[in-house]
Amino acid sequence: MTNNEVKTKAQVAAAMTKIAGVAAIEGTDCEYTVEASALIQAAEYLLGAGYEFLADITAVDYLAAGHFRLLYQIANYHNGDIITLKLDIPREAAEADSLCGVYAAANWLEREVYDMFGIKFAGHPDLRRILMWDGYEGWPLRKDFVQQPNKYQGRRRLD
Amino acid sequence: MSENGNAYSERYTLNLGPQHPSTHGVLRIVADFDGETCISADPVIGYLHRGMEKLLESRTYPQGLPYTDRLDYLAGVNNNLPLALAVEKLLGVEIPERASLLRMLTCEIMRLASYMVGIGIYIMDLGAVSGVFYPFQQREYALEVMSALCGARMTQGYIRFGGVQADWNDEAEAALDVLYKELPPFIEMYHKLIDENEIFLRRTKGVGVITAERAKSYALTGPNLRASGVDYDLRRDAPYCLYDRFTIKVPVQQAGDCHARYAQRMLEVEEILKLIKAIHAALKETEPGKIMGAVPKMLRPPAGEAYAQTENPKGIMGCLVASDGKGVNPLRVHFRRPSFDNIAIFSELMPGHKVADLIAIIASFDIVLGEIDG
C-alpha cells in the first residue's frame, strides 16, 4: 500500500461517522467513541483505509462513573496519524468483541488487558493470563483491587 | 517415518528458559518438537513483571518518571521521553529549544548504546563469544558521555517534565569526541569480522523469515520491521521533538530473515552517528542555560487522556496517560512496549525451525525483558 492509499483524517472522519454506533469526539479530528456492536466494523474499515498498525489496546478504570474505557490506538505505517477508538463498557458486564480476526497483534494486547482488568474478549482464540501467573486471583489494575497480603513472615530464627 | 520426514523421531516438549543465557533475561519458551523440528512454540512471559503501571498510579508525576528507565534498561532516556511527551501534551507546556535538542542527542546516544548490545549479544548467541566485546567497548564510550552529562551510566532519569535535568558540559563534549573517533573504525572492523563469516551466514540467511504483510499485522516496529521491507521510522515520518529539522536516512532491508535484522542494525548505526553529529552541531548554536520550560511546582494535568509515541531502539514506544484533573497522581499510565509486541510473532515464526534456529531468532529480535514484562 502506498502513501496515497492511506486515507487522511478527514476522509476517515467522513466514512467513520456513517457507521452506526460511531461518533466523533468534539474538538478532535481523530478520536471516536464507538459502541460495542460497531467495534469490529470500525476496525475493519480502518484496516481497509490503510490503518494497518494496531499500536495499542488498553483500558482505564473509571470506577466512579462505573465503566471501563477501552482505548484502541490504530495507526498506519506511513505518516504517524493515530485514530483512537474509545469504547465504554459497564464494569459489571466487562466484555468486548475481540479484534484478533482483524489484526494479529490484538492477541497479546487483549490478553494483557484481560490479565490486568478481567475484561473478556469474545472470540479471542487464547484468552489466558499473560503477565501474572496461572492461578493468580484478582485483576490488579482495577481501582477496587485489594492487594493480597504478603505471605512472607520474616526470617525464622535458628536457635 | 514421521510426518516431517525424519526416520525415527520422537515428540517432546522442550522448556527453553526462563534462566537460559540466550533468552536475554527471563524469557521462557515452551516448544514442542518432532525430532529436531519445532512444531509449536509458546512464549511465557511475566517473570520480570514489576507492576510498573500500578506503581505509577501511586506516585506523583515527577516521582513516576525514573521508574520508566527500568523498562528498556539498555536505553533509559528513550523510555522517559514518551511519558514526558504525553504529560506535556496534557499540560500544554512549551519545551525550550536547547532542552529538545539535548533530549534528542541523549536519545540517539543511548540508541547507539542499545544497538551495540543488540548486535554484540546476537553474535555471541550464535557462538562467537569474542564478538560481544568489541561492541560493548563502543557502548562504554556512549555511556561515558551520559555519565559525564548527568552522573549515571544506565538508568539516568535525565529527562524531566518540561525539559532536561542537566546542561551540556565540557566533560561530556570530550567524551563524545572519543566516541566520534572510535566508532567509525569499529564499524569498518566489525563488518570485516562478521559479514562474510560462513558460520554466521549459514545460521542466519533464510532463517526466521517475516514477510512485510505479517510484520504489519503483528504490529512489529523498529529495526525488526524495517528488516522486512517496511520503510517506516517515526523520526522521519512523524517527527516529534525537533527531528523535523534534520534529514534522516532510513535504511531498509527486503529479506526479512535473521541476517537482514543484523544488517539493518549495522546500517542504522552509521545513520545514528551522522544524526548525533548533526544534533550536536545544532546544540552548539543554541545559548546554554535554558533547559527547563515553565512547569508548575505541583503537576496537576487537566482531566483527559493523552497518547504519545517515540521511536525507541527496539521499536515504537507509546505512552498513554489518563488524568482525572484533581489528583497529583495519574489515574492510569500505560506503555506500549515495543519488545512485547515484537515477540508476539514468535509462536507463528518458530514452528518449522530447528532448535538452534530458535536461538538465532530470539537473538535477532534484540529483546529486553524489562520492557516485555513491564
Side-chain angles (χ1 to χ4, degrees), chain B residues 124-192:
Chain B
M124 186 177 75
D125 283 356
L126 295 180
V129 178
S130 54
V132 72
F133 297 110
Y134 301 100
F136 262 69
Q137 181 60 56
Q138 302 303 314
R139 170 177 182 256
E140 201 56 42
Y141 295 132
L143 295 184
E144 281 298 319
V145 182
M146 292 309 297
S147 174
L149 181 58
C150 62
R153 289 170 74 250
M154 281 179 71
T155 44
Q156 295 100 350
Y158 177 64
I159 291 176
R160 298 289 151 91
F161 296 114
V164 292
Q165 171 221 340
D167 205 352
W168 193 246
N169 59 37
D170 292 342
E171 208 184 325
E173 181 86 28
L176 192 55
D177 282 339
V178 175
L179 184 69
Y180 286 162
K181 192 163 79 45
E182 298 286 346
L183 194 64
F186 157 77
I187 295 172
E188 200 186 328
M189 183 273 292
Y190 215 62
H191 276 302
K192 278 187 197 155

Side-chain angles (χ1 to χ4, degrees), chain B residues 336-359:
Chain B
R336 178 205 196 266
R337 308 169 318 270
S339 292
F340 176 85
D341 289 73
N342 284 351
I343 68 161
I345 202 171
F346 276 2
S347 49
E348 184 180 303
L349 188 62
M350 285 177 169
H353 287 93
K354 307 284 189 234
V355 184
D357 293 341
L358 260 55
I359 307 299

Side-chain angles (χ1 to χ4, degrees), chain A residues 55 58-59 62 86 140 143, chain B residues 45 54 220 305 331-332 336:
Chain A
T58 191
Y62 287 98
K86 300 186 178 186
K143 288 286 177 191
Chain B
I45 62 171
K54 187 80 181 170
L220 256 61
E305 292 140 5
L331 182 70
R332 168 102 170 94
R336 178 205 196 266

Side-chain angles (χ1 to χ4, degrees), chain A residues 52-56 58-59 62 69 71 76-78 80 86 104-105 112 117 128 130-132 140-141 143, chain B residues 42 45-46 49 53-54 57 216-217 219-221 225 232 237-238 305 307 320 331-332 334 336-337 340:
Chain A
E52 304 166 290
F53 172 29
L54 176 65
D56 207 355
T58 191
Y62 287 98
R69 177 168 291 166
L71 293 130
N76 61 55
Y77 281 111
H78 293 283
K86 300 186 178 186
E112 194 191 358
F117 288 91
R128 19 182 202 120
I130 188 164
L131 292 173
M132 308 307 281
L141 281 178
K143 288 286 177 191
Chain B
D42 180 24
I45 62 171
H49 179 60
E53 292 169 6
K54 187 80 181 170
E57 285 177 15
K216 285 176 179 178
S217 189
L220 256 61
T221 44
L225 173 78
Y232 186 57
D237 298 320
E305 292 140 5
Y307 190 75
L320 175 109
L331 182 70
R332 168 102 170 94
H334 171 73
R336 178 205 196 266
R337 308 169 318 270
F340 176 85

